[in-house]
Structures are given as structure tokens and as C-alpha cells.
Amino acid sequence: MTGVNVIVAIGIIAAVGDIRRFREPQKLVSYFGLNPRVRQSGLGLAQYGRISKHGRSHARAMLVEAAWAAAKAPGPLRAFFLRIRNKRGHQVAAVAVARKLAVLIWHLLTKEQDFARRWWRQSRGSSLSRPARRASGVGRRGSAYAYNVKELRNSEKAAAENA
């Protein structure tokens, strides 16, 4: 998986234990303390704050380090990182990628799939189901446009299959 090496994978497995005790990915995210704090009273609007930091601090730190590595490699996680970084800053973007990695880890472990199969199915499905761009965004290419080059995508797919 992009950004996750053997040490991080072993650390996450050791911290989580049996993945089946988490019924949904949000429970795993809460276990790591990567979910935002919510302040709400009665029918008032919810105010979302910083991450809760409740839970396993070592596993959370490993996920954030893996997120930094994933943000440097080309792919959808880097595109997500760059999109969030432009809006909120690089620290917030790294934690957002760490949260996304935790959700992806939950899906991979509960459904017992390998990363390459889930990666390509997810990226192909999401690109086909996206809504059409608004007129204001037409003609502007984002920072992740290079990933849409077919040769680059095919070479990365071949590398993932070989791994």
C-alpha cells in the first residue's frame, strides 16, 4: 500500500488486533483518534473541531507518517493531499490522508482483498461516477492532472500487479 511499509503495517495490526470488532470504518477511525471533535447541544448546529486524539497515539502517529509518504507518491492519495493542502494547510491535509488510510485499511482487512485490486476498482469506479464539472472549472487542470496520463497509469498498474 502506498506509504505503508512493513513496520507500519505490523504496528497497525498489533494496535488493532482483531479487525472484526470494528463494525464500520468510522469505528476504527475513532479508535485511532483521527475523527473530529463535535460540539452540539440540542437542535443547534454542530461545530466540528480538531481531531479528538483519543485512542492509540502510537498507531495514530504511524498512520500520519504513512500519510506523509503517501502524499509524496503519485496517485489518488497525493491528489487528495494536494486538494486539502490548498484549502486548509499541509498539517491538516496529512491528518486527512491518515484518516483515509485508516478507512482503506479497514476495507482491505475486513474484505480480505489485496491493495492493487481494491485500488484499481475504486479509482475506476469513482472516475466514472463523478458528476460533470461546472462551467467555472472547465479548462483548468489541477495539480494531479499528470496522474491522468494513460502511460503513467498503466506503468503504475503493472508495478502494483508485480508487487
Side-chain angles (χ1 to χ4, degrees):
M1 179 189 290
T2 307
V4 178
N5 60 13
V6 175
I7 295 171
V8 172
I10 291 172
I12 297 298
I13 295 295
V16 169
D18 186 17
I19 194 71
R20 290 175 293 202
R21 64 189 177 130
F22 302 104
R23 290 179 295 163
E24 52 192 27
Q26 288 77 20
K27 303 284 185 184
L28 182 63
V29 170
S30 294
Y31 182 74
F32 289 135
L34 290 169
N35 56 334
R37 291 183 180 185
V38 180
R39 291 178 300 279
Q40 183 177 14
S41 177
L43 298 175
L45 293 175
Q47 297 175 351
Y48 295 95
R50 300 171 187 257
I51 62 171
S52 66
K53 293 189 180 178
H54 290 284
R56 300 284 182 151
S57 61
H58 288 87
R60 181 174 56 250
M62 283 191 289
L63 278 174
V64 171
E65 288 300 320
W68 281 111
K72 292 178 183 175
L77 291 174
R78 177 173 170 75
F80 177 74
F81 174 82
L82 294 174
R83 191 170 64 241
I84 301 297
R85 185 188 70 180
N86 291 338
K87 293 179 187 176
R88 304 283 310 273
H90 62 278
Q91 296 287 347
V92 174
V95 173
V97 172
R99 183 190 181 286
K100 200 169 269 291
L101 279 173
V103 171
L104 188 60
I105 287 169
W106 183 86
H107 282 288
L108 292 176
L109 292 177
T110 55
K111 296 175 181 159
E112 297 178 359
Q113 294 178 340
D114 59 339
F115 178 68
R117 184 178 305 150
R118 174 125 183 112
W119 177 278
W120 289 106
R121 191 186 72 199
Q122 182 180 9
S123 65
R124 297 304 268 166
S126 63
S127 65
L128 296 176
S129 63
R130 283 191 186 140
R133 296 184 118 203
R134 285 185 253 156
S136 63
V138 174
R140 290 189 300 159
R141 294 182 174 159
S143 57
Y145 176 74
Y147 188 71
N148 291 327
V149 177
K150 192 171 185 175
E151 294 82 26
L152 176 63
R153 213 173 43 239
N154 289 339
S155 67
E156 288 185 0
K157 184 177 180 180
E161 288 173 354
N162 287 340

